[in-house]
Amino acid sequence: MRNESESRLWSKPAAEREGTPLLVLLHGYGANEADLFSLAEALPADFTVVSLRAGLAAGPGFAWFPLGPDGSGGLAYSVADVQHAVTELLDWIDSVRVGHSSVSLLGFSQGMVMASSAARHRPDDFAAIVGLSGFVADSEPSDFFADEQLAARKLPFFWGRDQADPVVPQALVEYSNEWLNQHTALTKVLYTGIWHGISPAEIKHVGEFLTMSVLDQRASLER
């Protein structure tokens, strides 16, 4: 059994987290909690950042749900597996959210599926969502995905990617683009030369997005 305290990395000690906005980092397939944690240094210091480790062993690291090629240029995954993983993620977030002013999610690649699916399940629970080099699960609205409620809210969503990304199939890119435009307040930025990765310019834009959609909103409500 893994030590749960070792599967999370925090940017602030426990004594400094109370009342801060929480940003949860969700890594991609085959990575771990250390993969995205360095981003915390480049993001607004007001946030408490926590980077989580997914629960399934996959390649050199971990995965949130089983994912692989479908044999025809696409990706094979089960929406039921996504839903199960999201339920476990939200159970953990619920255990810590009471100490924070808000919760936002940042997911890379497979982590973007998790972040967007969590927002679809609980549209009112999050201040903002960031998705990097990933996609949205191709699924119809259901009892689990409250897409109409999310569309009514227009949750701030930042989506950054490279059009030359060799990992995410074009069909999923097109689906994600249409879905995000219909269901979120989307900020979409394209980058050149990052392939399936993250660039300093992109993280600068993410920081600006989080400042505007989370910190400025909080300051406005406190006036």
Side-chain angles (χ1 to χ4, degrees):
M1 180 179 295
R2 78 186 188 198
N3 185 334
E4 291 296 330
S5 66
E6 295 178 355
S7 63
R8 301 183 288 270
L9 295 173
W10 292 87
S11 65
K12 297 181 188 295
E16 298 177 12
R17 299 172 195 164
E18 183 72 25
T20 61
L22 179 65
L23 178 64
V24 182
L25 306 185
L26 306 168
H27 63 73
Y29 185 91
N32 60 38
E33 69 278 13
D35 188 57
L36 299 178
F37 189 62
S38 63
L39 301 182
E41 298 177 358
L43 294 173
D46 307 67
F47 284 88
T48 291
V49 179
V50 59
S51 188
L52 305 184
R53 181 194 303 174
L56 301 177
F62 300 87
W64 301 100
F65 53 88
L67 178 70
D70 66 2
S72 60
L75 291 175
Y77 60 95
S78 162
V79 174
D81 287 338
V82 175
Q83 294 173 352
H84 177 74
V86 166
T87 299
E88 290 191 337
L89 169 65
L90 291 175
D91 284 346
W92 182 82
I93 291 175
D94 286 346
S95 74
V96 299
R97 72 162 56 245
V98 68
H100 296 277
S101 58
S102 66
V103 179
S104 299
L105 305 176
L106 184 157
F108 174 77
S109 192
Q110 190 187 51
M112 177 175 165
V113 182
M114 292 291 292
S116 56
S117 297
R120 295 174 74 178
H121 184 50
R122 292 192 189 171
D124 295 325
D125 276 22
F126 303 101
I129 305 292
V130 176
L132 306 179
S133 298
F135 61 96
V136 175
D138 189 348
S139 170
E140 294 299 321
S142 65
D143 290 341
F144 190 86
F145 290 134
D147 287 356
E148 289 186 8
Q149 184 181 343
L150 180 62
R153 188 192 162 186
K154 291 296 184 182
L155 178 67
F157 198 114
F158 181 97
W159 185 25
R161 60 178 302 271
D162 188 337
Q163 287 183 303
D165 186 330
V167 173
V168 181
Q170 186 61 28
L172 282 175
V173 171
E174 293 173 359
Y175 173 84
S176 300
N177 185 58
E178 180 178 1
W179 189 92
L180 288 167
N181 274 291
Q182 291 177 351
H183 295 88
T184 70
L186 179 62
T187 298
K188 181 175 70 173
V189 185
L190 298 176
Y191 300 90
T192 301
I194 68 170
W195 305 95
H196 192 67
I198 301 173
S199 73
E202 186 176 27
I203 293 307
K204 180 177 182 294
H205 294 153
V206 169
E208 293 168 350
F209 168 80
L210 290 171
T211 296
M212 180 179 65
S213 58
V214 180
L215 301 182
D216 290 353
Q217 283 293 110
R218 178 187 182 189
S220 177
L221 291 172
E222 290 175 347
R223 289 195 188 102

